[in-house]
Amino acid sequence: MTTPLHTDICILGGGIAGLWLNARLQQQGFSTLLIESGALGSGQSSKSQGIIHGGTKYALHGKLTTAAEAIAGMPARWRACLDGSGELDLQGVRVLSAHHYLWSPGSLVSNLAGFFASKALRGRVDQVKGSELPAVFATPAFRGKVYRLSELVLDVPDVVRRLAELAGDSLIAGSATLEGDSQSGITGLQVNGRQVLAQRYVLAAGEGNEALLKGAGISQPAMQRRPLQMVLVKGAALPPVYAHCLGASPKPRITITTHPCADGQWCWYLGGDLAETGTDMSADALIAQAKKELGELLPWVDLSDCQWATLPVTRAEPAQSSNARPDNAFIQAVGNTLVCWPTKLALAPDLTDQAMAELQRQAVQPQHAQPASGQPQPAIAAPVWDTLFR
């Protein structure tokens, strides 16, 4: 019989949240193993727009919400990591845009102008004009207003790459088989024919948590799904756009980020209300809707030679009444197991804070040396804009 692998903390799920927690635990002297059944970042992480939100989009109805406050400090924490002064060293990770923007195609922003200038949003939102405008809006054809947000946009596959470097030899490619119950948590875990014995187990697999919980015989917490259908536009000459468009509702009418493709072209990745209301539409119908929206909002950009595609995305979260969006990152202890959903890419550091606070509350201390697992290493997921177009 093979020797069990002993570790302090075993994490299941190799997205940004699991990888971030893994790196922070190792900093604190814990031994870790992180098990990923697919490729690193292959779930919600690789389908993210890469925006490190500061909560402004949750305040578009003119007042700060719990969600806006919960996420307000995240851009500063990520920026500190990127410049080498933060909790993790993310120096060298590609920043796609140092700022995210908000634009109004007409007069819609007028009722919000005072709110954006208020003390509540000071330092988070600034109007930009003239030479400060992003190039896509620096045209006489543009008649609206543009605000610069204290948010940034990252190349998520590059974040995954760097966090995988920080993981050292703690990563294992394989599907875990679990045993357990709703009182004790996980009582048995095997991967690739090896038993893993840990002081604590962390479920950080996003949508995959549901199957892991079922496999471990753990009934709570329950998970909810909130679907999107994103639209992708690929072309050689697309101008960079990193912005929310303000619509008539409190949600952005459309959110555009721009990503580099392996063949040297660029891809606009379209979210916002377009992606939320398009979940039940066929791909062709949603693409037609996206073409109509972009034709109205950015009519001076030539999209005639572009390729189009859609991508269904599932946001997996702790279950809420009426399937509402959670305000915060989520963690719940079940016996020796921590069940986690970050709920937003930007909240990965906050989720780690919560997990480490819970380990401290439970008086969990480093006990084991880092095991040499001798197991296969997971690959890093290819960006969706490099897999959807042929």
Side-chain angles (χ1 to χ4, degrees):
M1 187 169 173
T2 55
T3 312
L5 291 167
H6 290 270
T7 190
D8 292 321
I9 312 292
C10 178
I11 301 168
L12 291 101
I16 297 284
L19 288 165
W20 194 287
L21 175 60
N22 189 59
R24 292 282 284 125
L25 287 169
Q26 289 190 344
Q27 272 184 349
Q28 302 301 311
F30 288 97
S31 60
T32 64
L33 290 173
L34 184 151
I35 300 169
E36 169 54 51
S37 61
L40 295 171
S42 59
Q44 283 172 252
S45 293
S46 68
K47 300 174 182 70
S48 161
Q49 290 189 283
I51 305 164
I52 305 303
H53 285 292
T56 308
K57 80 166 189 175
Y58 302 135
L60 294 182
H61 57 325
K63 60 183 179 184
L64 288 174
T65 61
T66 306
E69 290 297 280
I71 206 167
M74 290 300 110
R77 286 183 70 173
W78 281 82
R79 286 185 202 275
C81 293
L82 292 162
D83 69 21
S85 64
E87 60 222 65
L88 295 178
D89 183 0
L90 301 186
Q91 291 180 94
V93 165
R94 184 173 187 174
V95 178
L96 296 176
S97 180
H99 294 282
H100 199 64
Y101 293 84
L102 173 71
W103 97 90
S104 166
S107 59
L108 273 171
V109 83
S110 57
N111 356 333
L112 284 172
F115 176 59
F116 287 165
S118 69
K119 186 178 178 182
L121 288 186
R122 193 170 298 156
R124 291 204 223 177
V125 183
D126 299 297
Q127 189 174 356
V128 293
K129 302 176 182 178
S131 62
E132 289 192 312
L133 284 170
V136 72
F137 300 115
T139 167
F142 177 64
R143 292 279 191 268
K145 287 187 168 62
V146 178
Y147 288 82
R148 181 174 53 219
L149 310 181
S150 63
E151 304 178 351
L152 62 161
V153 187
L154 301 182
D155 185 335
V156 172
D158 206 36
V159 178
V160 174
R161 174 201 59 76
R162 176 59 184 146
L163 292 174
E165 285 179 358
L166 295 176
D169 61 358
S170 64
L171 306 178
I172 296 177
S175 295
T177 304
L178 307 180
E179 297 174 3
D181 58 63
S182 292
Q183 281 71 48
S184 304
I186 292 172
T187 56
L189 188 155
Q190 286 209 347
V191 61
N192 303 333
R194 297 288 298 274
Q195 188 179 12
V196 176
L197 297 175
Q199 293 191 68
R200 295 295 184 273
Y201 300 87
V202 179
L203 303 189
E207 191 176 10
N209 276 358
E210 189 174 64
L212 291 171
L213 288 165
K214 185 177 180 182
I218 299 172
S219 57
Q220 291 291 329
M223 191 185 85
Q224 70 179 27
R225 291 171 171 84
R226 289 191 306 124
L228 298 169
Q229 188 170 191
M230 305 290 286
V231 179
L232 297 89
V233 190
K234 182 179 176 183
L238 285 175
V241 184
Y242 300 93
H244 303 299
C245 178
L246 191 64
S249 85
K251 294 179 179 178
R253 179 173 171 180
I254 195 168
T255 297
I256 307 176
T257 50
T258 310
H259 304 266
C261 301
D263 61 4
Q265 297 192 59
W266 293 88
C267 180
W268 281 1
Y269 195 33
L270 311 180
D273 211 37
L274 176 79
E276 295 208 8
T277 58
T279 53
D280 295 327
M281 298 171 71
S282 69
D284 287 346
L286 184 56
I287 287 169
Q289 176 67 18
K291 288 179 176 179
K292 179 174 178 289
E293 287 280 89
L294 293 174
E296 290 178 11
L297 298 173
L298 302 168
W300 56 89
V301 179
D302 182 5
L303 302 175
S304 58
D305 290 333
C306 289
Q307 295 176 266
W308 297 75
T310 68
L311 177 70
V313 176
T314 300
R315 293 170 293 185
E317 301 159 344
Q320 309 288 298
S321 60
S322 306
N323 221 45
R325 184 195 69 237
D327 288 333
N328 301 292
F330 173 90
I331 187 165
Q332 181 174 319
V334 181
N336 65 358
T337 302
L338 304 183
V339 185
C340 305
W341 284 280
T343 73
K344 277 304 224 195
L345 168 73
L347 287 169
D350 180 61
L351 181 75
T352 289
D353 289 350
Q354 292 187 47
M356 293 176 71
E358 180 61 26
L359 292 174
Q360 188 172 28
R361 191 188 69 77
Q362 295 184 20
V364 179
Q365 299 289 331
Q367 285 183 6
H368 300 287
Q370 182 63 37
S373 74
Q375 297 291 305
Q377 302 274 300
I380 293 171
V384 291
W385 29 90
D386 288 331
T387 60
L388 286 179
F389 297 100
R390 292 286 178 258

